[in-house]
Amino acid sequence: MASAPAGVVWTKTCLVLKRELGEATFGSWLGQAALRETGDEVCLVAATGVARDWIARHAWRRIGELWAQNDPLGRRLDLKSRMEFDSAGLMAAAPAFTTAVDEQISVAPEVFEVEAQAAPAAARQGRLLGLQDRFSFDTFVAGPSNEFAFAVARRVATWSDGHFNPVVFHGPYGFGKTHLLNALAWEAMRNEPTKRVVYLTAEKFTSTFVKALQDKQTAAFKDELRNADLLLIDDVHFVAGKVSTQEEMFHTLIALVEDGRRVVMTADRSPTEISEMEPRLRSHLQAGLVCGIEPADRALRLGILERKLQTLAQQGKFLPSAKPEVMQFLADRFTDSVRELEGALNTLVARVGGDLARLTLDEAQTILRPHLSCNERKVTVDQIQKVVSEHYGLKQADLISERRARAVARPRQVAMWLAKQITTRSLPDIGRRFGGRDHTTVLHAVRRIEGLKAEDPSIARDVDVLLRKLRG
């Protein structure tokens, strides 16, 4: 059976869904889904198990209607998460039809294992450079906040002509810049084993340069870097304020770019915001392509957790399963860094191993509580009420009043949800601090916001913003 008709049917279905659901909701839950066809079977593959569950609850009936209307062959459409589909062993044989109506840069996932695919010499060279095997494109979870940078990195790694030079990836600590740079290096060496790739941190650049000055070996230092076909420097902001190091980096950059060689760097902020950097260097970094990586949104954090859980389960030989409320708690609780997010899951797996599937939310919170209390400032219910009321343009008194208007009730529920998530107060105690309400009212509010976060992108955004404000 030809695969094209299935792709056409799915594109038509997506056009209607995008109009009916709205761009934000469609993008959050269906934007990363793909249609895969094997023989007579057609499967919609959701990015994560959480996305699969949302689609099943809120869109599957409508998808079925649209599919039936547009598919002249009357094929049955199945629904699976990417993890389920991969574990069924279907990935290699199944061509994917992505949601082209998104008009986004998308790259089909491919299995990339350094030992299996890269030449042994390239693998040895990668380890000598300090590259980490686990940081590949296959293990990088893409989403709206990083997909452009991801696509650019894939493009650079193919050694294609016409790419911008230099490329600078910038974004907050812990959201994948180093992962992306490592993945780019591995893929570039795999694609062109004879090309010379050099990877180092800006700190390593600085220390090596200083030692070369002391040993009067600057000529060797220059040759080592300027003979690279691809130079990758991580955390370039580290050289800001270091006059001689910046001067050397500037001349290295100019020499490579003018010779048609490629340079990719990462920084914790855009070059325009690195005020301590020498103007000439900053200007040349801005002259190429500057790609921002934003903090991961909730859907992406859930996807990252699922991918990490799959990896841990393979290593520990247990089923990659956890209660949805535990995964959602982690995604909502660890918003500032992917490293911290993955670290929290590591902690749970280290404690309970294969029993993770039976771990309750209360048990997970108990295990992580010492870690949480050490790594963030205390937040009180009063502070939550002040921040929430300010966010929604209300008075703090409104949140503890008897008013039941939606404009007050929904922010009150959000505040109760936040109090449950980031304070150690019990439900009855939270209720007392919201005008003497019963603990069942608080429980209802918590469950209501949990549901709305999956259904309403505006609530999900509000919660994300408020969590960041409260955690400083």
Side-chain angles (χ1 to χ4, degrees):
M1 184 180 298
S3 60
V8 172
V9 173
W10 180 235
T11 298
K12 289 179 179 179
T13 301
C14 285
L15 286 170
V16 177
L17 289 171
K18 194 171 186 180
R19 185 173 63 249
E20 293 180 352
L21 295 172
E23 291 194 14
T25 301
F26 179 92
S28 295
W29 301 106
L30 284 157
Q32 302 298 315
L35 196 72
R36 299 187 182 276
E37 186 176 21
T38 54
D40 294 331
E41 297 181 1
V42 185
C43 183
L44 179 62
V45 181
T48 67
V50 174
R52 174 206 60 206
D53 294 343
W54 186 92
I55 293 169
R57 288 196 306 269
H58 304 288
W60 192 239
R61 179 179 297 177
R62 182 56 175 155
I63 289 172
E65 293 172 353
L66 294 170
W67 181 264
Q69 292 172 14
N70 293 308
D71 183 19
L73 300 179
R75 288 166 291 192
R76 179 180 175 274
L77 182 63
D78 199 4
L79 174 65
K80 287 185 172 68
S81 69
R82 185 178 297 170
M83 186 184 300
E84 291 172 330
F85 194 83
D86 288 355
S87 63
L90 301 174
M91 182 66 76
F97 305 99
T98 57
T99 53
V101 294
D102 278 339
E103 300 178 348
Q104 297 171 339
I105 299 175
S106 61
V107 182
E110 63 180 79
V111 176
F112 175 53
E113 296 180 5
V114 175
E115 293 291 351
Q117 297 187 15
R124 286 196 300 271
Q125 176 64 19
R127 293 190 181 91
L128 287 174
L129 290 173
L131 299 175
Q132 299 185 55
D133 291 353
R134 64 192 180 94
F135 286 159
S136 70
F137 284 134
D138 184 54
T139 59
F140 188 89
V141 182
S145 61
N146 62 23
E147 61 191 349
F148 179 63
F150 179 63
V152 169
R154 293 298 295 260
R155 175 73 175 173
V156 174
T158 65
W159 301 92
S160 302
D161 292 333
H163 92 296
F164 296 95
N165 203 14
V167 172
V168 179
F169 298 116
H170 71 88
Y173 164 83
F175 280 99
K177 302 186 299 297
T178 297
H179 188 148
L180 207 56
L181 212 59
N182 273 252
L184 197 165
W186 283 120
E187 185 84 344
M189 289 191 296
R190 185 179 72 88
N191 288 330
E192 292 285 352
T194 61
K195 297 278 191 181
R196 189 161 184 275
V197 176
V198 174
Y199 167 89
L200 72 168
T201 65
E203 183 179 7
K204 182 69 172 177
F205 181 100
T206 301
S207 62
T208 306
F209 174 62
V210 170
K211 190 173 189 306
L213 285 174
Q214 293 170 344
D215 298 343
K216 297 182 180 180
Q217 296 290 325
T218 54
F221 175 81
K222 294 176 192 289
D223 289 343
E224 176 72 16
L225 296 185
R226 297 181 193 184
N227 286 326
D229 295 294
L230 171 62
L231 176 63
L232 305 153
I233 299 181
D234 204 5
D235 292 332
V236 71
H237 54 272
F238 180 83
V239 305
K242 299 174 176 63
V243 178
S244 59
T245 303
Q246 289 184 85
E247 182 77 12
E248 181 59 33
M249 184 174 286
F250 169 75
H251 289 297
T252 299
L253 175 62
I254 294 298
L256 288 169
V257 171
E258 288 183 349
D259 200 29
R261 300 168 192 264
R262 295 150 196 255
V263 180
V264 183
M265 300 183 180
T266 71
D268 64 354
R269 55 199 185 278
S270 171
T272 59
E273 299 173 347
I274 309 177
S275 58
E276 309 90 345
M277 184 170 281
E278 201 271 332
R280 289 186 306 167
L281 178 56
R282 185 169 64 240
S283 175
H284 277 79
L285 292 180
Q286 294 171 226
L289 178 61
V290 179
C291 299
I293 298 176
E294 298 296 325
D297 62 15
R298 186 174 190 261
L300 180 55
R301 293 196 297 272
L302 286 166
I304 290 168
L305 284 170
E306 290 221 1
R307 178 64 61 86
K308 180 67 175 179
L309 178 56
Q310 185 178 28
T311 301
L312 293 172
Q314 289 171 348
Q315 294 170 348
K317 295 181 173 53
F318 61 86
L319 289 176
S321 178
K323 293 183 182 296
E325 58 267 26
V326 171
M327 299 289 269
Q328 290 163 7
F329 164 72
L330 295 177
D332 290 328
R333 183 60 189 73
F334 297 90
T335 61
D336 295 332
S337 166
V338 170
R339 291 191 186 102
E340 293 177 3
L341 179 69
E342 292 184 336
L345 183 59
N346 286 338
T347 300
L348 295 181
V349 171
R351 285 287 296 274
V352 302
D355 289 330
L356 185 68
R358 293 193 289 273
L359 191 70
T360 67
L361 176 57
D362 285 342
E363 290 168 342
Q365 290 175 327
T366 299
I367 291 171
L368 294 172
R369 187 164 291 130
H371 173 72
L372 301 178
S373 61
C374 291
N375 286 282
E376 73 166 20
R377 64 189 179 92
K378 297 291 185 181
V379 178
T380 66
V381 175
D382 183 66
Q383 288 172 322
I384 291 171
Q385 291 173 345
K386 287 177 180 176
V387 170
V388 171
S389 57
E390 179 183 335
H391 180 81
Y392 286 103
L394 301 171
K395 297 177 181 177
Q396 186 175 351
D398 291 330
L399 298 182
I400 60 177
S401 71
E402 293 298 322
R403 294 179 58 189
R404 296 188 177 183
R406 185 185 181 86
V408 175
R410 187 69 77 234
R412 183 187 294 129
Q413 289 178 327
V414 168
M416 290 178 176
W417 181 89
L418 289 166
K420 176 66 172 68
Q421 294 295 316
I422 61 177
T423 76
T424 57
R425 301 292 179 184
S426 64
L427 293 180
D429 196 7
I430 293 172
R432 283 193 293 271
R433 290 163 188 269
F434 280 86
R437 287 174 164 81
D438 187 80
H439 77 280
T440 57
T441 302
V442 181
L443 182 59
H444 171 75
V446 170
R447 290 174 174 170
R448 181 61 178 147
I449 296 303
E450 280 294 340
L452 286 173
K453 283 195 291 120
E455 302 169 8
D456 188 338
S458 66
I459 291 291
R461 283 193 299 271
D462 283 347
V463 167
D464 248 9
V465 169
L466 289 164
L467 282 169
R468 292 183 190 283
K469 285 183 179 179
L470 288 162
R471 289 172 180 156

